[in-house]
Amino acid sequence: MTDTSVRIDGNTLRLPGGAAVRFVRTLRLPETGTHPLPPGLGEFPVRRVRDYPDTVPEQWRARGGVMLPVYLREAMWLSFGGTTEPAALQVGVGKVCAVSGKPWSDRLARDPQNYVVLPRQPWLDGINSGTGTVRQFVAVPLGLGATVEGQVTGEEVWGGVQLQAFPLAEERLAEWREAQRRTRAASGPSMAFGAAAPMAMAAPAAPAGAPPRSAPSMGLGVGGSLRQEVYRDERPLSDWAATPAGRVFVHLVTPPEWRRITGEAPPPSPVDRAAYTRAGLPWFDYYDQDAEDLAPTDTLDGVKPVGDWLGDDHEPWQQPASHQVKPLGDAPGKPVEDGDW
């Protein structure tokens, strides 16, 4: 029987079929201009919802999945490093596709394309909103209309992030594996991908008679524009499986609620922009001349940045020096419980 379980390996979500996703903290960029890619400032910790039945909101238990802590206006990007086999990964923000701007779907689509191709797409820093650019993922509360979900659908119901992976169809996957075997045989032995041993997560005891309460709901809006391509799939749509191998709902939790729910301290607050640049930390400019960028959709091109809704935070900006911009070239664990969403 095919395993459809999503598992946590450290802070990495491993979806059936080999797709790996990590949520990475990063520097939030100004909402004007177009910028190179800031590097990661550490991974967001990820925990299973089902491990905290006495402290998570009832609605979260119904949706299942995982949760991670994020500060108001904190930026993040998704890393797909560690993906072991080709996958078509759908990424939803409040059940709006981050690639096409269309409503969440249980099927892959090509016109417009509603998925990213792994491992060709190494990461995704935001929604596909311009030619060769994306608008940075930034966390905001539901209820203000600032999320992508609120601006595209007119409602804020879901929040969070949704992931769904489609493997190659059986025949195409067999062909790919054979090609990989031949490549390895021709090149000699190589280091195998190693996964860290998963850690068991114990749920904290809830006070007697204290029912789970509601928690502030968070979603993703957009921030500054980044130079990043979302690659067009070079395979015919028929190469992919007709049904997903697995999916997961990712809840975004405010730091105070994270502490209450899990008993753990949240990560420290994000570093400010001026200190980041003064420290000489690198920026990245990624370019793949062999790949074709997806054209932006009218839906996502019109999404306004969070500053238009929450106001300017007046944080100073220091432009990175030219030497700081670096050009780039081309498991086991407990299963995550899926739910109704």
Side-chain angles (χ1 to χ4, degrees):
M1 179 179 295
T2 302
D3 184 7
T4 60
S5 301
V6 178
R7 298 177 183 271
I8 299 178
D9 180 4
N11 293 321
T12 300
L13 287 179
R14 298 200 178 278
L15 284 78
V21 182
R22 290 182 298 124
F23 294 86
V24 184
R25 308 182 79 202
T26 192
L27 184 70
R28 184 169 57 86
L29 301 179
E31 295 173 359
T32 56
T34 299
H35 308 275
L37 304 173
L41 301 176
E43 300 172 2
F44 287 95
V46 178
R47 301 289 181 266
R48 297 192 312 170
V49 167
R50 69 173 299 177
D51 287 334
Y52 304 91
D54 298 325
T55 50
V56 297
E58 182 177 352
Q59 187 181 60
W60 294 12
R61 294 204 309 270
R63 292 177 182 173
V66 299
M67 56 186 172
L68 61 83
V70 62
Y71 288 85
L72 174 65
R73 286 187 168 186
E74 184 170 12
M76 70 169 63
W77 53 273
L78 277 58
S79 169
F80 308 128
T83 295
T84 57
E85 294 187 331
L89 181 71
Q90 293 177 323
V91 180
V93 286
K95 295 188 71 172
V96 172
C97 177
V99 177
S100 70
K102 298 296 184 180
W104 184 258
S105 171
D106 288 332
R107 293 183 178 275
L108 298 179
R110 183 57 63 80
D111 188 21
Q113 183 175 311
N114 66 349
Y115 58 95
V116 292
V117 182
L118 309 187
R120 185 62 182 273
Q121 189 82 37
W123 47 66
L124 186 66
D125 286 62
I127 65 169
N128 178 35
S129 60
T131 302
T133 64
V134 299
R135 296 302 295 266
Q136 190 174 38
F137 291 131
V138 176
V140 288
L142 302 189
L144 302 177
T147 62
V148 175
E149 175 187 3
Q151 295 187 57
V152 171
T153 70
E155 298 179 311
E156 292 182 314
V157 176
W158 300 101
V161 178
Q162 298 76 40
L163 302 171
Q164 186 164 256
F166 292 73
L168 286 173
E170 189 172 331
E171 184 177 351
R172 299 287 86 80
L173 181 58
E175 293 172 353
W176 181 87
R177 287 173 175 172
E178 176 61 18
Q180 294 298 301
R181 186 194 66 78
R182 291 177 179 175
T183 300
R184 288 193 298 268
S187 60
S190 61
M191 292 294 292
F193 175 80
M199 297 179 63
M201 297 169 288
R213 64 184 187 186
S214 62
S217 296
M218 300 281 283
L220 291 180
V222 301
S225 179
L226 305 175
R227 287 191 288 274
Q228 183 178 81
E229 295 176 320
V230 180
Y231 297 135
R232 182 179 301 278
D233 189 6
E234 298 175 350
R235 292 178 174 273
L237 199 60
S238 58
D239 275 13
W240 300 104
T243 57
R247 67 175 196 165
V248 61
F249 195 109
V250 182
H251 303 266
L252 305 181
V253 187
T254 64
E257 286 299 311
W258 177 264
R259 186 185 295 273
R260 182 189 68 80
I261 291 171
T262 68
E264 302 176 30
S269 59
V271 66
D272 71 84
R273 301 170 184 169
Y276 181 97
T277 301
R278 286 196 303 267
L281 294 173
W283 300 72
F284 299 97
D285 210 354
Y286 185 83
Y287 177 67
D288 187 339
Q289 64 180 0
D290 296 325
E292 184 179 354
D293 181 41
L294 283 178
T297 66
D298 292 339
T299 303
L300 294 181
D301 189 43
V303 173
K304 296 178 181 179
V306 298
D308 286 8
W309 302 81
L310 304 181
D312 188 1
D313 62 359
H314 304 294
E315 194 172 305
W317 171 249
Q318 292 191 9
Q319 193 70 21
S322 59
H323 70 272
Q324 289 177 259
V325 180
K326 311 293 184 183
L328 298 176
D330 192 288
K334 293 182 178 179
V336 174
E337 187 176 64
D338 189 25
D340 183 11
W341 51 275

